[in-house]
Amino acid sequence: MKQKCALITGITGQDGSYLAEFLLSRGYRVVGMVRRASTDRMERIEHIRDRIELCQGDLTDQTSLDQAIRELQPDEVYNLAAQSFVPTSWNQPVMTSDVTGLAVTRMLEAVRKYQPKARFYQASSSEMFGKVLETPQRETTPFYPRSPYGVAKVYGHYITVNYRESYGIFACSGILFNHESPRRGLEFVTRKVTDTVARIKAGKADRLKMGNMDARRDWGFAGDFVEAQWLMLQRDDPRDYVVATGTSHTVKDLVEMAFAAAGLDWQRYVEIDPKLIRPAEVDTLVGDAAKARTELGWKPRVSFPQLVEMMVRADLQRHGVA
């Protein structure tokens, strides 16, 4: 039986590294697309570098994407790369629109022209729901994005639907709610909290500055969520799915659990900074993944308290407080 080849954009990110591990465990040939950069950002995949291949490509450059698809002829394409930090999308809205939105069209065009039999996964986001029109959010919930990032993701989502319906490409989107891990970037709120807790425990910091502590999110473990991405591409027909735990917690819950995991009282260290509050806040996101449970047989394994403890423990170890 021919070995399957999977191309992952964003392989050096959190999801890309977990997905690469998962696909390797399934016997895939895994190729990651990376941009030429002045600094090497390979720490998340360093432990599997000898088992994967890397190719150069840039989501803003059609020629490089065409070349990658034409030469690799992948069986599956996972488009995970994006400018994915919501606050940055306010400061760099045009770049975010290009890399997170228009780039999806470039990827789909490369697939359409050079490997139309490939199965294509687009990383959609719960941020597309934004100012939610119903709770919980499901596949049929209308989108109401509240950031340039959310708007760009809506474009990427609908252009994927358009190529599926117009060209018959096996293209689907996973509408993933927040998913975290010890590999999450330090700029994201979960990792900012767990890393700062570890730094406080290690005597390297004394304050944690936070914005809106009442915002609610549906947080799951990234390692669980990448399996759902793969399952979507194994179906007989392409469909879009919400991937979520179905349970929401406030940012305050996150903070309390993280400090408790390190044996600290959060109220002694947390300071509210108005500058950290978004221009347009997304207050409550919680997903209904019933369709994914029923049709894909997927369900999350790691609970939110387990996830927070896992992240705090990893950061404590990284800061020498094992």
Side-chain angles (χ1 to χ4, degrees):
M1 186 175 174
K2 176 179 172 286
Q3 183 186 34
K4 280 188 176 182
C5 174
L7 174 64
I8 304 173
T9 73
I11 194 169
T12 60
Q14 170 188 254
D15 287 19
S17 64
Y18 280 109
L19 179 61
E21 287 177 348
F22 179 83
L23 294 175
L24 287 172
S25 75
R26 294 269 168 177
Y28 278 70
R29 173 193 177 198
V30 176
V31 183
M33 181 181 291
V34 295
R35 286 180 298 126
R36 283 199 64 183
S38 56
T39 56
D40 190 6
R41 301 195 188 105
M42 302 290 179
E43 61 270 11
R44 292 186 183 93
I45 56 171
E46 198 59 52
H47 62 296
I48 53 172
R49 277 289 293 274
D50 60 339
R51 301 171 60 201
I52 62 175
E53 302 169 45
L54 298 177
C55 71
Q56 286 189 359
D58 190 318
L59 291 180
T60 64
D61 177 56
Q62 186 71 57
T63 302
S64 67
L65 303 182
D66 289 350
Q67 182 177 348
I69 299 295
R70 186 174 62 244
E71 292 182 358
L72 289 169
Q73 291 292 294
D75 300 287
E76 297 173 4
V77 177
Y78 296 87
N79 187 41
L80 309 186
Q83 191 302 100
S84 59
F85 188 46
V86 173
T88 295
S89 77
W90 291 103
N91 296 327
Q92 301 184 55
V94 176
M95 182 273 282
T96 299
S97 301
D98 192 9
V99 174
T100 305
L102 278 176
V104 185
T105 309
R106 297 187 190 104
M107 286 297 302
L108 285 163
E109 268 295 281
V111 169
R112 181 186 70 82
K113 290 185 291 187
Y114 298 110
Q115 175 54 325
K117 293 181 181 178
R119 298 191 167 203
F120 181 87
Y121 171 83
Q122 166 60 16
S124 287
S125 167
S126 60
E127 288 285 336
M128 301 189 305
F129 295 122
K131 189 176 181 179
V132 298
L133 300 179
E134 67 175 352
T135 299
Q137 295 86 53
R138 49 184 66 88
E139 291 81 4
T140 55
T141 302
F143 298 137
Y144 195 148
R146 297 273 281 171
S147 67
Y149 169 76
V151 172
K153 279 294 186 182
V154 169
Y155 174 87
H157 181 86
Y158 277 128
I159 200 67
T160 301
V161 172
N162 192 261
Y163 270 66
R164 176 170 73 216
E165 296 179 350
S166 301
Y167 299 114
I169 293 171
F170 192 109
C172 59
S173 294
I175 306 173
L176 271 58
F177 280 65
N178 294 66
H179 46 290
E180 318 297 322
S181 77
R183 300 179 194 174
R184 192 54 142 157
L186 288 168
E187 69 272 22
F188 291 88
V189 66
T190 47
R191 188 69 196 292
K192 170 188 170 179
V193 169
T194 63
D195 179 69
T196 305
V197 165
R199 289 171 58 229
I200 289 172
K201 187 74 171 180
K204 301 176 183 178
D206 56 12
R207 306 298 294 166
L208 169 62
K209 292 188 177 182
M210 298 296 294
N212 181 9
M213 295 271 281
D214 296 322
R216 299 189 74 92
R217 293 292 183 272
D218 183 335
W219 279 297
F221 174 49
D224 290 342
F225 280 38
V226 298
E227 183 176 358
Q229 299 171 7
W230 175 78
L231 285 168
M232 289 179 213
L233 298 195
Q234 311 314 307
R235 286 186 50 83
D236 293 333
D237 58 326
R239 298 182 183 182
D240 303 325
Y241 293 90
V242 162
V243 180
T245 71
T247 303
S248 71
H249 294 85
T250 64
V251 174
K252 183 180 176 183
D253 293 336
L254 162 69
V255 169
E256 288 181 354
M257 288 184 193
F259 275 95
L264 298 172
D265 177 5
W266 71 276
Q267 295 183 75
R268 292 181 56 194
Y269 303 100
V270 175
E271 177 183 317
I272 303 301
D273 184 349
K275 295 195 292 290
L276 297 177
I277 296 175
R278 295 181 186 181
E281 181 60 274
V282 175
D283 293 317
T284 302
L285 290 173
V286 56
D288 179 1
K291 183 179 173 185
R293 285 198 305 271
T294 302
E295 298 185 6
L296 304 178
W298 177 86
K299 63 180 181 180
R301 297 186 180 92
V302 178
S303 70
F304 182 64
Q306 289 172 326
L307 173 63
V308 175
E309 186 174 345
M310 174 200 305
M311 293 176 67
V312 171
R313 192 165 58 244
D315 280 326
L316 286 170
Q317 187 172 9
R318 199 167 56 87
H319 286 287
V321 189

